[in-house]
Amino acid sequence: MTTGKINVSVENIFPLIKKFLYSDHEIFLRELVSNGTDATLKLKHLISIGEAKVEYGNPVIEIKVDKEGKKIHIIDQGLGMTADEVEKYINQVAFSGAEEFLDKYKDSAKDSGIIGHFGLGFYSAFMVAEKVEIITKSYKDEPAAHWTCDGSPEFTLEPADKTSRGTEIILHIAEDSLEFLEDSKIAGLLSKYNKFMPIPIKFGTKTETLPKPEDAPEDYINETVEIDNIINNPNPAWTKQPSELSEEDYKNFYRELYPMQFEEPLFNIHLNVDYPFNLTGILYFPKLGSDMQIQKDKIQLYQNQVYVTDNVEGIVPEFLTMLKGVIDSPDIPLNVSRSGLQADGSVKKISNYITRKVADKLKALFSENRADFEAKWNDIKIVLEYGMLSEDKFYEKAGAFVLYPTVDDTYFTLEELKEKLKENQTDKDGKLVVLYAGNKDAQHSYIETAKEKGYEVLLLDSPIISHLIQKIEGDNKDVTFVRVDSDHIDNLIKKDENTISKLSDEEKETLKTSLEAYIPKAYSVQLEAMDSQAAPFIITQPEFMRRMKEMSQSGGGGMFGMGNMPEMYNLVVNTNSDLATSILNTEDKTHQEHLVKQALDLAKLSQNLLKGEALTAFVKRSFEMIK
């Protein structure tokens, strides 16, 4: 037996590692199982190139919990180590890495550095163990070795009687970490971090009932056998080629990822690139609707099939963080705890690739089956609209598949819309006016008025639509979007013809003075000559002010405090209506006030603005009128 002292100047290196190295102690198991996986895959490679003259077999990584002995065993059948390799990789490389780590990050060590650079994965064991043993035998024809360390710089290294190839790590669990001796805890960690690792992971056994033989007698009792409990799927869908997978395979994998999600995804996007970086994965579009308050962090990030995090900010463009699925890349630089990303040029390239791939897939889905794409539009639009706002590369491609639905459930791309509307909805200044509603029920009367003129009305109801149409207008100088209730219809799309008012200018001034005596200050009174059959009073909301307010409320908008401004409305009074004439000619001021208030309340009712005490008074007044 040999003993020694690891050549480090920091005596209390283990407490420092325990304190600073990882943000979450539970990942010790992920690191040690990952090391076992690496050792097994390296052996497979050496055998494939003829360097290792041994049988690969069917290796597994086994985890055993000895609750009574307060120990956890992690056993692999990989390439193992000789005594010299233990001395090199455990005592020298890892500790020099630890010292370099501490020297570099002593002031801000938590969650810093790169795990592959410092070689510290093994030492995560000391976060939960007061003593660690390694019993290992190399695939080479050399004696087994037994290394022991109690968390101080002293270690022992002696021969062992292990005869099978591979490595066994024994953790003597510390008193403050006894929770890790619970089977349920270990099973949960293996499921979280190692669910899709490429080598089968055994944790205990389970009972399986054998099928009944065809010639078995009626009183035959089915046999049961104990089999290894393999807790992972070593060949998940994203590691396969798209040509190998059916739609049902993709759906089954979605259920495997999200066992508590009962709704099927709408469609998936399979990512597979090997240059200029390696990345594979499958992204799923779930049903989203128009709600921006969607739980993010549903995409899982893996590195060589080892779970890293579900915080994929930076790798996945922000608008796609509302999707679900898996991304796996060995080229994403991670910090020591594998739980965060470093700023890196390759990360931006990966993000750009994912954006392009998603855009290409959406275009293909649109082209292959437009009717199906239209049917799913309301469930995916919020992601795409957000993408158009936040990613220029996505915006450039989006014109080919982003849709603009009408209130009658017909769908147009922007170019189709321009072609459809140009003849009837171009105003006298040559500008194409796109009318839209935000709520089909609340703006029903305005929609109907527009449709009577032969105009198309879009239904744009997402919470970020004001931002998006602002961007579209900026890129299409000949197009303007106007909500259908922002003015009376003749002002929305101004034509050359003008309607003549039957009231003189003097009469209009008198009428306006009478109206303003009874109309609240929140309403700006406008007198307009319209068709005599049009509504006498119409409440509109100025497009610019309403849009700026909406943009401010949903983030941005460019005007400080705009979101807190009170609502502003126009009251458009039709000077050609019989009611306008009646109000003008009524000498009884009480009756005049009664007419104005009743007409205003009716206009407010059509905009869903009549509530509370005012609604009660309106109903009471209306019943009085029909007595």
Side-chain angles (χ1 to χ4, degrees), residues 328-450:
D328 189 329
S329 175
D331 294 332
I332 296 170
L334 305 170
N335 67 13
V336 167
S337 69
R338 300 198 196 190
S339 60
L341 295 164
Q342 296 184 325
D344 187 274
S346 64
V347 171
K348 185 59 183 170
K349 287 177 187 171
I350 288 170
S351 177
N352 288 342
Y353 165 76
I354 293 171
T355 298
R356 190 176 75 247
K357 184 74 174 179
V358 168
D360 290 345
K361 175 70 173 184
L362 290 166
K363 183 180 178 182
L365 289 166
F366 173 78
S367 302
E368 289 162 12
N369 191 339
R370 177 163 178 163
D372 183 61
F373 193 83
E374 289 179 356
K376 291 171 178 171
W377 176 252
N378 283 326
D379 291 313
I380 64 171
K381 65 185 178 188
I382 194 71
V383 176
L384 275 58
E385 290 170 351
Y386 188 23
M388 290 175 73
L389 281 172
S390 60
E391 293 284 332
D392 288 341
K393 289 183 184 302
F394 188 77
Y395 180 82
E396 288 166 15
K397 289 176 170 279
F401 52 80
V402 163
L403 295 173
Y404 300 85
T406 71
V407 291
D408 298 317
D409 299 319
T410 54
Y411 294 81
F412 300 98
T413 65
L414 186 60
E415 290 308 310
E416 291 169 347
L417 192 65
K418 289 180 183 179
E419 188 62 30
K420 170 76 175 175
L421 304 185
K422 69 180 182 182
E423 186 175 341
N424 202 27
Q425 289 181 217
T426 300
D427 68 12
K428 62 185 178 67
D429 299 318
K431 203 149 198 175
L432 185 70
V433 181
V434 181
L435 302 178
Y436 72 98
N439 184 308
K440 207 156 48 167
D441 292 330
Q443 290 143 30
H444 183 268
S445 62
Y446 300 89
I447 294 168
E448 289 304 303
T449 301

Side-chain angles (χ1 to χ4, degrees), residues 318-337:
E318 189 180 358
F319 77 100
L320 293 176
T321 57
M322 291 182 272
L323 305 188
K324 295 182 177 182
V326 165
I327 287 173
D328 189 329
S329 175
D331 294 332
I332 296 170
L334 305 170
N335 67 13
V336 167
S337 69

Side-chain angles (χ1 to χ4, degrees), residues 56-267:
Y56 183 64
N58 297 297
V60 300
I61 295 167
E62 183 173 8
I63 291 85
K64 293 180 179 177
V65 175
D66 175 3
K67 191 170 183 180
E68 195 173 319
K70 297 183 181 178
K71 291 185 286 189
I72 297 175
H73 301 250
I74 297 104
I75 306 160
D76 70 59
Q77 295 151 26
L79 44 72
M81 288 182 284
T82 65
D84 286 345
E85 287 168 339
V86 172
E87 172 66 32
K88 178 181 178 182
Y89 295 116
I90 303 298
N91 294 341
Q92 294 173 20
V93 174
F95 265 104
S96 63
E99 195 167 29
E100 184 187 347
F101 165 80
L102 288 168
D103 180 58
K104 190 170 183 179
Y105 295 105
K106 57 181 177 287
D107 296 324
S108 60
K110 192 173 184 180
D111 285 345
S112 302
I114 306 172
I115 194 159
H117 176 68
F118 291 104
L120 293 170
F122 167 73
Y123 281 100
S124 63
F126 286 97
M127 292 190 301
V128 298
E130 59 188 13
K131 183 170 83 171
V132 178
E133 298 178 68
I134 302 173
I135 303 170
T136 183
K137 179 165 173 54
S138 173
Y139 70 95
K140 301 168 187 173
D141 188 18
E142 293 195 34
H146 184 183
W147 179 92
T148 308
C149 183
D150 64 0
S152 71
E154 278 91 24
F155 69 89
T156 64
L157 182 59
E158 58 188 327
D161 57 7
K162 179 177 172 64
T163 57
S164 57
R165 179 191 72 226
T167 299
E168 178 174 2
I169 295 173
I170 305 167
L171 310 181
H172 297 259
I173 301 300
E175 290 299 316
D176 64 356
S177 298
L178 297 180
E179 64 188 284
F180 294 108
L181 292 170
E182 299 295 333
D183 282 358
S184 59
K185 179 74 172 178
I186 295 299
L189 294 182
L190 291 171
S191 177
K192 178 178 179 180
Y193 292 111
N194 306 103
K195 188 175 182 179
F196 298 111
M197 291 196 66
I199 304 298
I201 299 168
K202 176 187 174 183
F203 183 51
T205 59
K206 61 183 178 182
T207 302
E208 190 169 272
T209 303
L210 295 174
K212 184 178 179 179
E214 287 184 14
D215 57 351
E218 285 187 19
D219 58 351
Y220 176 84
I221 298 173
N222 287 77
E223 284 186 66
T224 58
V225 291
E226 288 289 312
I227 62 168
D228 291 350
N229 181 33
I230 303 300
I231 57 88
N232 62 322
N233 172 4
N235 301 296
W238 83 80
T239 64
K240 301 173 183 176
Q241 291 297 317
S243 58
E244 299 175 54
L245 299 166
S246 66
E247 277 305 306
E248 194 56 36
D249 291 329
Y250 284 112
K251 287 179 181 177
N252 287 339
F253 181 58
Y254 183 79
R255 296 182 198 112
E256 194 175 351
L257 282 174
Y258 309 104
M260 300 308 292
Q261 182 70 42
F262 302 111
E263 206 163 30
E264 295 283 355
L266 296 168
F267 50 81

Side-chain angles (χ1 to χ4, degrees), residues 466-486:
S466 293
H467 295 273
L468 183 59
I469 60 179
Q470 196 86 350
K471 185 174 177 68
I472 294 168
E473 287 173 341
D475 290 328
N476 296 269
K477 301 300 183 188
D478 59 338
V479 175
T480 183
F481 284 72
V482 183
R483 206 168 84 174
V484 72
D485 61 345
S486 61

Side-chain angles (χ1 to χ4, degrees), residues 578-591:
D578 292 340
L579 180 62
T581 304
S582 296
I583 293 169
L584 176 67
N585 296 332
T586 298
E587 294 181 6
D588 182 338
K589 293 300 178 185
T590 302
H591 184 55

Side-chain angles (χ1 to χ4, degrees), residues 33-50:
V33 173
S34 298
N35 286 351
T37 301
D38 290 343
T40 308
L41 294 174
K42 283 174 183 172
L43 176 67
K44 186 178 185 180
H45 176 67
L46 291 177
I47 292 171
S48 72
I49 63 174

